[in-house]
Amino acid sequence: MKPHFVENWELGVPQTLAVFGTSLSFYLAPMLARELENRFGAVAQVANFGLSATASITALSRLDAVIEAAPHGVLMEFAVNDAHSFYHDETAFDAGISLQESRENLETLVLRLQKSLPCCEIWLQTTNGAWDSPRGVESLGTANCATHRPQLNAYFETVRAVARARGLQIVDNWNVWHALQHADFAHFAQLVPDGIHPSPRGIRELWIPQILRAWNIEQSGQT
């Protein structure tokens, strides 16, 4: 399904896409912006609302900033950090988010966006899987990334469930990453070197093409 904001970009109409999510989205946004500008020019505007070391509770507290930007589309993910079993510090603001709470928080984010920005198109997304990379750093929350996310796909399934229940579109990136992780783990490990954050190469090779396919955009080849 081609989003209306993409159709407007094709017509030369300026539209803003908000990329709202974790640190994974923070690193995705500038590279996606570059790819979209290569394809559509300056009318394709991307606002980076990636929040490092946060999950859906913090997202609820930061949603007003997204709404104030009045985007025409929102691409949103938080499940990868909701799934963290202790989230760096068991007393942290986003610590201990259950599967049910993750779903409820996502539904609240969606409903608040729809109420405040009824014409804004909301796209949910899943992200890559994790692994326990020796390059992970405990103080940065990248140590034992898979061990500390034992139910990661179950959290991704809540995203899929909300998309189905709310009639939303989803970019289900996890399927592509999961297939690579099992078919060629060495390559997967190169693309996710610290265990959770895709490298620029990983974003170029897997993530951006998946988004472009979901939006029926022909990739320019100049990410």
Side-chain angles (χ1 to χ4, degrees):
M1 174 182 176
K2 183 171 288 188
H4 292 305
F5 55 82
V6 172
E7 293 176 336
N8 281 322
W9 286 336
E10 292 174 337
L11 294 172
V13 179
Q15 303 274 275
T16 298
L17 170 71
V19 179
F20 188 34
T22 66
S23 57
L24 278 67
S25 285
F26 177 82
Y27 294 117
L28 165 70
M31 296 185 67
L32 179 61
R34 195 154 53 243
E35 171 65 26
L36 294 174
E37 185 174 359
N38 286 340
R39 179 65 176 83
F40 301 108
V43 297
Q45 300 163 7
V46 175
N48 189 350
F49 289 96
L51 307 172
S52 182
T54 58
S56 61
I57 296 174
T58 295
L60 290 167
S61 72
R62 294 290 301 276
L63 183 61
D64 285 346
V66 179
I67 292 170
E68 287 172 7
H72 303 87
V74 173
L75 180 63
M76 181 164 56
E77 59 82 20
F78 285 98
V80 70
N81 280 352
D82 283 2
H84 201 293
S85 60
F86 74 100
Y87 209 70
H88 316 318
D89 175 0
E90 63 183 13
T91 65
F93 191 51
D94 282 304
I97 299 174
S98 69
L99 283 166
Q100 182 62 30
E101 289 168 331
S102 182
R103 175 168 181 161
E104 290 172 355
N105 290 346
L106 181 56
E107 288 182 328
T108 299
L109 289 165
V110 168
L111 290 173
R112 283 179 57 187
L113 280 167
Q114 289 177 329
K115 181 178 180 179
S116 299
L117 301 170
C119 294
C120 177
E121 292 179 78
I122 301 169
W123 281 73
L124 305 183
Q125 66 173 335
T126 61
T127 54
N128 51 281
W131 69 290
D132 289 344
S133 170
R135 294 176 60 178
V137 179
E138 188 69 34
S139 63
L140 298 179
T142 60
N144 301 317
C145 291
T147 297
H148 291 311
R149 292 175 172 83
Q151 294 183 280
L152 181 56
N153 192 43
Y155 280 82
F156 286 154
E157 185 55 40
T158 67
V159 179
R160 301 178 187 111
V162 170
R164 290 191 297 268
R166 299 292 175 184
L168 301 175
Q169 298 296 321
I170 182 171
V171 184
D172 203 347
N173 299 287
W174 182 86
N175 292 322
V176 174
W177 287 98
H178 181 70
L180 176 63
Q181 189 172 3
H182 285 267
D184 188 349
F185 180 78
H187 188 200
F188 174 83
Q190 288 180 338
L191 298 185
V192 190
D194 71 355
I196 193 62
H197 297 101
S199 66
R201 179 184 172 192
I203 294 172
R204 284 194 302 269
E205 286 190 6
L206 269 73
W207 199 348
I208 288 178
Q210 185 76 348
I211 293 170
L212 298 181
R213 280 192 292 270
W215 291 350
N216 290 322
I217 299 173
E218 182 178 352
Q219 192 171 4
S220 69
Q222 301 181 44
T223 304

